């Protein structure tokens, strides 16, 4: 799993209990691109900045990509998350999940984030996301810089998949267990039936368009 940014809108309905997310709803290190994972306990952390309904404003300097490990990985508490605007194409809905370094130190991200659509009670909606076959790179984020991963699914009106409208998207940074909760305002998503698969890409530098 799903996501993602410019500041995202505050969701005042953050869950009071941890979320248990199996499989690819949990994050994966860049060193385990086919990791299917077990279950994790992800306690959502509210991601407080800006709106999830619009694309990134482009005012944040893009992150640089490097293969060196000059800094330690970014922890959930040092990041904020948001979802950029939809960039549809060929029957697909495509959203960038943006992660911003909100700390005062430089840190790194590598691999796949975890993602899960949840309802207002925190229950996961739909199957775990699938992961792309991309090779990960280490993304270095100075304070204020961003990285993003792509979240994609088939348009349910075209595919005929059964749908639900999530209250939020839980985003778990690579190699972390705690998640960031982003209010979902983009409408229905596929949760079962044919073509209900949600896909995630690896984290890459910059802000998603």
């Amino acid at each position: 799993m799903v996501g993602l940014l410019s500041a995202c809108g505050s969701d005042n309905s953050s869950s009071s209990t941890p979320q248990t997310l199996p499989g690819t709803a949990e994050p994966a290190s860049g060193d385990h691109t086919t990791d299917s994972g077990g279950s994790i306990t992800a306690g959502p952390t509210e991601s407080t900045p800006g709106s999830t309904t619009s694309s990134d404003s482009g005012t944040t300097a893009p992150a640089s990509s490097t293969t060196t490990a000059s800094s330690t990985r970014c922890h959930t508490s040092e990041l904020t998350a948001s979802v950029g605007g939809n960039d549809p194409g060929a029957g697909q809905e495509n959203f960038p999940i943006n992660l911003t370094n909100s700390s005062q130190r430089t840190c790194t991200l590598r691999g796949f984030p975890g993602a899960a659509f949840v309802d207002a009670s925190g229950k996961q909606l739909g199957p775990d996301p699938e992961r792309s076959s991309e090779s990960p790179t280490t993304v270095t984020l100075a304070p204020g810089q961003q990285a993003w991963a792509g979240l994609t699914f088939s348009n349910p009106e075209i595919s005929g998949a059964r749908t639900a409208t999530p209250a939020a998207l839980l985003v778990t940074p690579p190699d972390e267990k705690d998640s960031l909760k982003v209010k979902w305002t983009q409408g229905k998503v596929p949760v079962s039936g044919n073509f209900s698969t949600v896909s995630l890409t690896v984290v890459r530098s910059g802000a998603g368009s």
Side-chain angles (χ1 to χ4, degrees):
M1 14 162 28
V2 201
L4 8 144
L5 319 168
S6 57
C8 76
S10 176
D11 175 11
N12 295 322
S13 60
S14 59
S15 175
S16 59
T17 57
Q19 307 294 319
T20 300
L21 306 177
T24 50
E26 70 172 284
S29 167
D31 297 326
H32 301 86
T33 56
T34 59
D35 176 33
S36 60
S39 63
I40 65 166
T41 300
T45 299
E46 202 66 38
S47 189
T48 54
S51 170
T52 60
T53 59
S54 62
S55 299
D56 182 76
S57 64
T59 57
T60 302
S64 60
S65 221
T66 178
T67 57
T68 64
S70 58
S71 32
T72 59
R73 79 171 186 268
C74 302
H75 299 294
T76 303
S77 61
E78 298 174 307
L79 298 166
T80 58
S82 64
V83 178
N86 187 14
D87 182 21
Q92 297 291 310
E93 309 301 317
N94 305 298
F95 298 91
I97 299 175
N98 295 301
L99 294 169
T100 302
N101 180 2
S102 58
S103 73
Q104 299 302 309
R105 73 180 185 103
T106 296
C107 59
T108 61
L109 294 171
R110 180 181 175 87
F112 294 88
F117 291 113
V118 295
D119 63 17
S121 68
K123 179 182 178 181
Q124 182 174 336
L125 300 173
D128 294 343
E130 292 187 350
R131 292 169 181 156
S132 70
S133 58
E134 299 168 288
S135 297
T137 59
T138 299
V139 178
T140 300
L141 298 179
Q145 289 187 326
Q146 295 179 310
W148 68 283
L151 182 149
T152 300
F153 54 82
S154 295
N155 184 316
E157 294 184 2
I158 298 175
S159 69
R162 288 189 290 274
T163 64
T165 302
L169 177 70
L170 297 185
V171 179
T172 312
D175 296 310
E176 290 291 294
K177 292 185 177 181
D178 293 329
S179 59
L180 297 163
K181 185 178 181 182
V182 182
K183 185 176 181 180
W184 182 258
T185 60
Q186 303 287 352
K188 296 179 179 180
V189 302
V191 295
S192 64
N194 293 333
F195 304 104
S196 62
T197 300
V198 176
S199 299
L200 285 171
T201 70
V202 296
V203 173
R204 60 197 71 188
S205 62
S209 57

